Amino acid sequence: MGRRLLSLLIGAILVGAAAAGPAAGGADAAFGVSNFEFGFVNADGSVATQAGSHPYALRTRIGWNLKSDPDGWKGQSPDGMVRDLVVSLPAGFAGTTVDVPRCATANFLELASKSGEEGIPNCPDSSAVGTSETILHTGVFHGPVFNLEPPPGVAVKLGYFVYTTPVIIEVGVNQEPPYNVVSSLTKIPQTSPIYEGFLELWGFPASPAHDSERGHCFVSHEADSCASNAPDVPFFTLPTSCTGPLGIGYATDSWENPGGVLGDGSPDLADPNWVSGEIFTQNNENPPGPQGLTGCTTLNFKPRITAQPTSRAAQSPTGLDFSLNVNDEGLLSPPGRAQSTIRKAVVTLPEGFTTNPSLAEGLVTCSEADLARETVNASAGSGCPNASKIGTVEVESPLLKESVNGSLFIATPYENPFGSLLGLYMVIRNPLLGIVIKQPLKVENDPLTGQITTVADDLPQLPFSHFRLHFREGTRSPLASPPLCGEYQVPAVLTPWSGAAPITSTDTFSIISGPDGGPCPSGGTPPFRPGLLAGTINNAAGRYSPFYVHMTRKDGEQEITHFSIKLPPGVIGKLAGIPFCPDLAIAAAVARTGPHGGQEEIDNPSCPAASEIGRTLVGAGVGPSLAYAPGKVYLAGPYNGSQLSIAAITAAKVGPFDLGTVVVREALKVNPETAEVFVDATGSDPLPHIIKGIPVHLRDIRVYVDRPDFVLNPTSCARTSTASTVLGSGTDFASEADDSPVTVTSPFQAASCASLGFKPRLSISLKGGTKRGKNPALTAVVRPRPGDANIGHARVTLPRSEFLEQGHIKTICTRVQFNAGVGNGEQCPAASVYGRARAVTPLLDEPLSGPVFLRSSNHPLPDLVAALHSGRIEVALVGRIDSATKGRAKGLIRTTFDAVPDAPVTKFTLKMFGGKKSLLVNSTNLCRRTHKAIAEFTGQNGRPYDFNPPVKAKCKGKGGKKSRQR
């Protein structure tokens, strides 16, 4: 601010200098500036070049081009009547009016006395800050310069009289970088052509050295009566940068050809009617040359920071109070020098103090176009949207009577000056002073740790005593506190405009409790107690219904890295008619990591809609309010050893932030003996912990498998559960070595099982020799009724006409061989195959089929195992071979299927080989009488159904033709 005021004063000088000029052109001279001089002097008249010092005076002279005119002053006159003069001063000049008395404009316009050609305003002598000289065609006019009460929107207003005409200079701050002072003299009265003007502003207006020319003593020179009782403080201070000559820009136009202006009232320099240029301050060499400042390395630079979170609880939403404090005694000390202003500040928050994803929900951002509308008088929301505000700013300066306040806004991702995901805009303004400053802040997040570094570069060269930045607190605060209790340091590397080496200022804060005021997390492994809720929306037995999974964790607990889920027995998916999402499409989704990758996935999903089976909703952040991102779930093919997988594709676009597309592929496995479906954590992708430097803090995972007629409820109403083994991150998320597994369950039970019928049909036939001692082939066909409960248990006892041919049991498959490879018997010896089986189910596009093995078991006889498979599913239907030990079936051979998967089957066919591979031998001639089996079936709902299906054989009838006998 001070720099601005100083520049204001300087600008006033330049404006005053534009009041007159000597003849300096020929008959062909065009309207424009013929000479423009600007400089700072010490009390001894030497050029003031010490950076940060307070010069004795500022002196400026400006003249306009002249043309020959016999009636003009000394035979010349200006080539045009000056209408406006705008002077742009160097960045870094600072001044104050805090202790400089002001004169009311009404008093200024009242001339208290006249002496010849000079009029003295009725202003307090102590409000005089300099002197003026103006050359008109009627002569040279002198007068004192007064510090006037400025109107709203003007920081400094200076005034003096040229004879009886008031000259008013308004000084403000450029609304664009480098926020230098702009001094304006507009609509100059056309009372007389101006040749040249000279203006001197005093560096110490209250100094006794100016008593003889202060106020009315400018005419009377009665020094004893014009002393000032105001504090003897510097009126202005030189910049603290020594980067080169101090350039001063100007723009002027004439009444004959006025120039256009921009929306903020500044000159439109694209208009050719404006005459513009730049000059440099001069030294006293002969000839004079451009003069820069010196002595920057001798300036002090001792700013200090404070940085304190608004919450002292671990892993909680928090704001931040950050301040920069400067105790600059030399700024208002006549013999002193100001400290260097801050050019660059790099503030690094401690590791673990991260961006809170909860910030994104409901947030909008400020675009560069929005920022451009942040003018000095802009109302709230007319520039940056109110919903993009995440903090407040307050700046105090000893050079100003009041603070300058402002706001902190989130910049539009990737469309900001840094092209970064995160960026901030700091906008501070004071409409009364006409100040608006817009400063972009770059935010860098470490891609591995999420550590935040904020960089503010090319800061305005404005002296201040206190700069306070407050990030909002609350449930959607922009920051998340560290996860553990203890002390943390915030270093700030501060670079001065003086060119000296940067310094580091550090503040320390403490985290003293756990989340929600609980006990501090220990220094070891954090706790981990995830929650699980799962089930079907409609649990009616045998009905289709969407299935949901809801997994949660609390703040302060370990992050979730992997999880497995085992669905309740009988909860199964209908895969028929659903294509896989191709691997290439999934790879394309993974590759969508660009600035708009998430939106691209929303607009054009990578996987075909036909492969979609559900959706997801994931909540991330700390605190009670999370940010949610929706996603989709697709059926996919083999992955990491599993024949099936699902691809959860989330467009990580939350609020205004687009983090690309996140793909988590989960391997699906089906228990071959129970048909239970589970997500295999060992074959699945880890859940993301950090995306583009933003720690996810995943807290809420919701999966809705809601494709119509996809998830089928079991027909058993036994109490079961959905079980999940969730892996926590331990102490190091990046390492899986210390992951902590926790198993959680959610109860599940189907309903209305008793309403389901159960009456399957079974047909058995023998083919081959029918005489005693022959070894027939057997075919058994089971046809359940649609809509009935599924088969849960089945036992078939063959009639006494069939014995077990143990002599044919030669080669069997071991369990190790059966489970090798993909676990479908591919490694079993070919000789261990004794038949084939086929199952038709509405859940698959093609039947399940495969060989029937004799496999080693814990029973006296080997098990009969049908290894059924399709292109997607493997099922092992295991039957126990034995003979009844009592009852009417005593001694009869039987096969018992104790655990039939709770899955619908429309037809199951078992074909056992005959001849030398037959496991049966006839104990009698099959054609002599009817033989019946004993069928004992139990539905998954517990309902039994026993019956005696005939065992059919092909027998010869009369005439040599075959006839079917029983």
Side-chain angles (χ1 to χ4, degrees):
M1 301 324 134
R3 175 198 69 177
R4 175 198 75 185
L5 296 177
L6 169 55
S7 303
L8 300 175
L9 303 175
I10 299 174
I13 297 174
L14 299 180
V15 174
D28 56 350
F31 174 81
V33 175
S34 62
N35 65 296
F36 195 176
E37 301 172 6
F38 186 91
F40 308 91
V41 297
N42 297 315
D44 61 2
S46 62
V47 175
T49 62
Q50 171 61 54
S53 67
H54 313 295
Y56 177 77
L58 302 178
R59 293 172 181 164
T60 185
R61 184 179 298 276
I62 186 167
W64 277 264
N65 290 340
L66 303 178
K67 62 181 178 180
S68 299
D69 183 358
D71 298 325
W73 186 66
K74 295 185 178 181
Q76 292 181 315
S77 64
D79 196 353
M81 296 284 286
V82 180
R83 183 179 188 270
D84 304 290
L85 175 65
V86 180
V87 178
S88 178
L89 303 176
F93 289 104
T96 181
T97 58
V98 170
D99 291 315
V100 179
R102 289 172 172 171
C103 175
T105 299
N107 291 344
F108 170 75
L109 296 177
E110 178 184 347
L111 296 182
S113 63
K114 295 184 179 180
S115 176
E117 299 174 322
E118 292 145 340
I120 304 300
N122 189 20
C123 286
D125 293 332
S126 58
S127 65
V129 293
T131 61
S132 68
E133 176 187 272
T134 307
I135 302 177
L136 306 178
H137 76 285
T138 55
V140 180
F141 299 87
H142 302 84
V145 179
F146 293 93
N147 185 34
L148 307 181
E149 290 284 354
V154 176
V156 171
K157 179 180 178 182
L158 302 176
Y160 60 92
F161 271 82
V162 178
Y163 193 49
T164 59
T165 301
V167 176
I168 301 296
I169 304 166
E170 292 186 346
V171 186
V173 177
N174 193 343
Q175 295 191 18
E176 300 296 333
Y179 301 110
N180 57 305
V181 172
V182 176
S183 182
S184 302
L185 186 61
T186 59
K187 296 182 179 179
I188 300 170
Q190 302 181 63
T191 55
S192 178
I194 300 173
Y195 287 68
E196 188 174 271
F198 173 81
L199 194 67
E200 176 179 282
L201 291 183
W202 301 327
F204 304 94
S207 171
H210 304 300
D211 288 354
S212 63
E213 51 187 355
R214 181 180 293 113
H216 74 272
C217 290
F218 182 85
V219 177
S220 66
H221 302 292
E222 298 172 0
D224 292 342
S225 64
C226 295
S228 174
N229 57 3
D232 189 17
V233 297
F235 196 22
F236 39 77
T237 305
L238 294 184
T240 59
S241 173
C242 298
T243 56
L246 299 180
I248 300 161
Y250 65 87
T252 184
D253 65 346
S254 65
W255 282 101
E256 292 83 357
N257 296 292
V261 296
L262 301 174
D264 61 357
S266 62
D268 181 5
L269 297 183
D271 187 331
N273 288 335
W274 283 102
V275 176
S276 60
E278 183 178 24
I279 66 165
F280 297 92
T281 56
Q282 306 294 309
N283 59 22
N284 53 4
E285 298 175 357
N286 190 15
Q291 177 66 59
L293 299 181
T294 60
C296 282
T297 57
T298 65
L299 300 180
N300 287 331
F301 186 63
K302 297 179 180 180
R304 293 291 179 265
I305 73 158
T306 63
Q308 298 292 314
T310 59
S311 171
R312 299 303 179 97
Q315 201 166 85
S316 301
T318 182
L320 179 70
D321 287 317
F322 175 84
S323 67
L324 269 169
N325 304 289
V326 179
N327 182 16
D328 191 355
E329 296 179 352
L331 187 62
L332 294 178
S333 173
R337 298 175 185 172
Q339 290 191 28
S340 175
T341 50
I342 301 172
R343 180 179 181 273
K344 182 178 182 181
V346 180
V347 181
T348 303
L349 296 181
E351 190 169 331
F353 201 158
T354 60
T355 303
N356 183 8
S358 298
L359 165 72
E361 199 73 28
L363 184 74
V364 299
T365 61
C366 179
S367 68
E368 291 184 299
D370 293 332
L371 185 66
R373 290 192 295 273
E374 285 286 346
T375 60
V376 67
N377 292 310
S379 59
S382 61
C384 292
N386 291 327
S388 66
K389 180 179 176 179
I390 63 167
T392 59
V393 184
E394 181 184 19
V395 181
E396 293 182 7
S397 173
L399 306 179
L400 299 177
K401 292 181 178 180
E402 56 188 285
S403 61
V404 182
N405 301 320
S407 302
L408 190 68
F409 302 97
I410 286 283
T412 300
Y414 308 112
E415 298 175 13
N416 53 62
F418 315 107
S420 59
L421 171 65
L422 290 177
L424 302 173
Y425 292 135
M426 182 174 64
V427 179
I428 61 175
R429 82 175 109 238
N430 187 313
L432 184 64
L433 297 175
I435 296 173
V436 60
I437 294 174
K438 297 174 281 190
Q439 177 67 41
L441 307 175
K442 183 179 182 181
V443 180
E444 300 172 338
N445 292 73
D446 187 283
L448 299 179
T449 66
Q451 188 171 22
I452 302 172
T453 299
T454 302
V455 181
D457 203 357
D458 288 326
L459 291 169
Q461 300 179 55
L462 308 177
F464 61 84
S465 54
H466 301 288
F467 168 87
R468 301 183 184 93
L469 182 61
H470 171 75
F471 287 88
R472 75 180 185 205
E473 61 266 41
T475 58
R476 296 203 183 279
S477 61
L479 299 169
S481 60
L484 299 175
C485 288
E487 287 195 347
Y488 295 86
Q489 290 188 332
V490 180
V493 179
L494 307 173
T495 303
W497 274 103
S498 65
I503 67 167
T504 299
S505 177
T506 303
D507 195 23
T508 301
F509 67 86
S510 298
I511 297 297
I512 60 175
S513 75
D516 299 320
C520 279
S522 64
T525 303
F528 191 46
R529 295 178 290 271
L532 177 68
L533 183 64
T536 53
I537 303 298
N538 175 10
N539 66 338
R543 303 284 182 171
Y544 286 103
S545 171
F547 188 88
Y548 68 91
V549 175
H550 186 193
M551 188 177 301
T552 58
R553 72 168 185 88
K554 295 181 179 179
D555 283 328
E557 295 186 349
Q558 299 177 47
E559 302 274 355
I560 300 174
T561 61
H562 293 80
F563 65 87
S564 65
I565 292 181
K566 183 176 74 66
L567 300 184
V571 175
I572 196 167
K574 182 179 179 180
L575 304 181
I578 304 178
F580 289 154
C581 176
D583 288 348
L584 288 177
I586 297 174
V590 173
R592 283 178 163 172
T593 59
H596 306 292
Q599 188 62 51
E600 291 171 0
E601 182 64 27
I602 293 172
D603 296 338
N604 297 290
S606 301
C607 291
S611 64
E612 183 179 339
I613 61 172
R615 56 195 171 87
T616 62
L617 187 67
V618 293
V622 297
S625 301
L626 304 181
Y628 284 89
K632 295 183 178 181
V633 181
Y634 299 92
L635 186 67
Y639 191 64
N640 290 343
S642 294
Q643 294 300 305
L644 288 172
S645 65
I646 56 175
I649 301 179
T650 302
K653 186 177 186 300
V654 182
F657 300 115
D658 193 330
L659 303 181
T661 301
V662 177
V663 178
V664 177
R665 196 164 179 183
E666 306 277 357
L668 280 182
K669 288 192 175 181
V670 179
N671 186 307
E673 295 190 8
T674 66
E676 291 175 294
V677 180
F678 63 97
V679 173
D680 179 21
T682 61
S684 301
D685 299 337
L687 299 179
H689 164 60
I690 187 169
I691 304 173
K692 295 188 177 180
I694 308 296
V696 177
H697 296 302
L698 192 63
R699 293 256 312 282
D700 188 341
I701 304 173
R702 306 182 191 191
V703 182
Y704 304 89
V705 184
D706 55 4
R707 183 187 179 103
D709 295 338
F710 178 68
V711 176
L712 185 64
N713 278 324
T715 58
S716 168
C717 287
R719 292 179 181 272
T720 60
S721 65
T722 303
S724 177
T725 299
V726 188
L727 276 71
S729 58
T731 56
D732 182 6
F733 192 97
S735 171
E736 297 184 3
D738 65 346
D739 283 1
S740 305
V742 174
T743 299
V744 290
T745 61
S746 179
F748 176 83
Q749 186 175 20
S752 303
C753 291
S755 65
L756 300 177
F758 184 69
K759 194 174 181 180
R761 292 180 296 164
L762 171 64
S763 63
I764 303 175
S765 62
L766 298 174
K767 183 179 180 181
T770 57
K771 294 182 179 180
R772 176 184 172 89
K774 295 297 184 178
N775 303 107
L778 179 145
T779 299
V781 179
V782 180
R783 290 184 174 88
R785 292 190 311 183
D788 278 4
N790 298 320
I791 297 172
H793 177 277
R795 175 180 289 164
V796 177
T797 303
L798 293 179
R800 294 185 184 279
S801 62
E802 301 303 320
F803 289 164
L804 178 66
E805 181 60 278
Q806 296 193 46
H808 286 182
I809 301 177
K810 295 181 180 179
T811 304
I812 64 174
C813 182
T814 68
R815 291 187 180 184
V816 173
Q817 290 172 325
F818 187 88
N819 294 327
V822 294
N824 60 3
E826 287 185 347
Q827 302 301 316
C828 291
S832 64
V833 177
Y834 292 83
R836 294 195 65 82
R838 185 173 185 267
V840 178
T841 172
L843 303 181
L844 300 174
D845 288 317
E846 56 186 20
L848 291 155
S849 62
V852 178
F853 298 94
L854 286 183
R855 191 185 72 181
S856 59
S857 73
N858 295 327
H859 307 112
L861 293 174
D863 288 336
L864 186 74
V865 181
L868 305 174
H869 61 87
S870 70
R872 305 181 179 188
I873 301 296
E874 308 287 343
V875 174
L877 188 62
V878 181
R880 185 178 76 253
I881 303 174
D882 66 356
S883 58
T885 59
K886 58 183 178 179
R888 67 187 180 94
K890 182 177 180 180
L892 299 183
I893 182 173
R894 64 186 181 182
T895 302
T896 304
F897 296 91
D898 289 313
V900 179
D902 192 355
V905 174
T906 55
K907 182 179 180 182
F908 175 76
T909 303
L910 174 68
K911 291 186 176 182
M912 301 301 297
F913 297 151
K916 294 181 179 180
K917 293 289 290 185
S918 175
L919 297 180
L920 301 177
V921 58
N922 297 333
S923 64
T924 185
N925 190 324
L926 302 180
C927 296
R928 289 182 178 178
R929 66 182 182 88
T930 299
H931 303 279
K932 292 187 178 183
I934 301 172
E936 302 169 271
F937 285 80
T938 304
Q940 292 282 353
N941 62 349
R943 178 174 291 186
Y945 180 62
D946 298 342
F947 58 102
N948 298 107
V951 178
K952 300 178 181 180
K954 291 187 177 181
C955 301
K956 291 183 179 181
K958 293 181 179 182
K961 295 183 179 180
K962 293 182 178 180
S963 63
R964 180 171 295 174
Q965 296 186 12
R966 299 178 180 178

